[in-house]
């Protein structure tokens, strides 16, 4: 199982970016998906999560500016980032709780994507 994130880049403050993340490999289903970020010298922090039924949760720092969504059929999660600020600069990582078959049952495990750099200039 692999998660591939894309869509990062350099943007001016006030601009927008849309991140995408696709899950590949043999899976049974996907539970929660999410986006996290890590700025230099900081710990990785939650940005937003979304359940399989598309219930979203946001960190206070991005609520009202970012929107998370997913396409279950395509095994993808998205992060629309608007009104970007220099403090949003970080490497953004996608995350998914992947369910796979294991014999006669299923098991779930969180997987991480490789990260995509977002840089917001002032």
């Amino acid at each position: 199982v692999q998660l591939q994130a894309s869509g990062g880049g350099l943007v001016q403050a006030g601009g927008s970016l849309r991140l995408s993340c696709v899950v590949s490999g043999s899976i049974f289903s996907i539970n929660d998906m999410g986006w996290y970020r890590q700025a230099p010298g900081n710990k990785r922090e939650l940005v937003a999560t979304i359940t399989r039924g598309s219930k979203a949760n946001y960190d206070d720092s991005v609520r009202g500016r970012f929107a998370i969504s997913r396409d279950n059929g395509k095994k993808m999660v998205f992060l629309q980032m608007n009104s970007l600020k220099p403090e949003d600069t970080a490497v953004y990582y996608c995350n998914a709780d992947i369910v796979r078959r294991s014999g006669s049952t299923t098991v779930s495990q969180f997987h991480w994507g490789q990260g995509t750099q977002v840089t917001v200039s002032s």
Side-chain angles (χ1 to χ4, degrees):
V1 176
Q2 286 190 327
L3 276 67
Q4 180 72 41
S6 61
L10 173 64
V11 64
Q12 289 188 333
S16 298
L17 283 174
R18 179 177 169 85
L19 305 184
S20 300
C21 177
V22 60
V23 177
S24 62
S26 178
I27 68 171
F28 180 73
S29 66
I30 306 174
N31 292 329
D32 290 1
M33 305 182 82
W35 290 95
Y36 293 72
R37 66 187 180 186
Q38 187 168 17
N42 290 355
K43 295 180 179 180
R44 191 172 298 188
E45 62 181 16
L46 169 73
V47 175
T49 60
I50 186 167
T51 67
R52 182 170 177 79
S54 293
K55 181 177 181 181
N57 177 61
Y58 298 95
D59 182 78
D60 287 344
S61 65
V62 306
R63 187 174 290 111
R65 299 188 297 122
F66 292 9
I68 189 170
S69 60
R70 63 190 285 173
D71 184 325
N72 291 329
K74 294 182 178 179
K75 297 183 290 185
M76 295 187 72
V77 62
F78 308 95
L79 186 67
Q80 178 66 43
M81 304 186 294
N82 300 324
S83 303
L84 282 160
K85 304 176 181 180
E87 50 263 44
D88 294 319
T89 295
V91 177
Y92 283 70
Y93 297 90
C94 58
N95 170 281
D97 183 12
I98 304 293
V99 182
R100 295 198 292 174
R101 291 189 185 277
S102 178
S104 61
T105 185
T106 57
V107 294
S108 67
Q109 183 177 12
F110 281 97
H111 294 262
W112 292 93
Q114 87 287 1
T116 184
Q117 176 71 45
V118 171
T119 303
V120 183
S121 63
S122 57

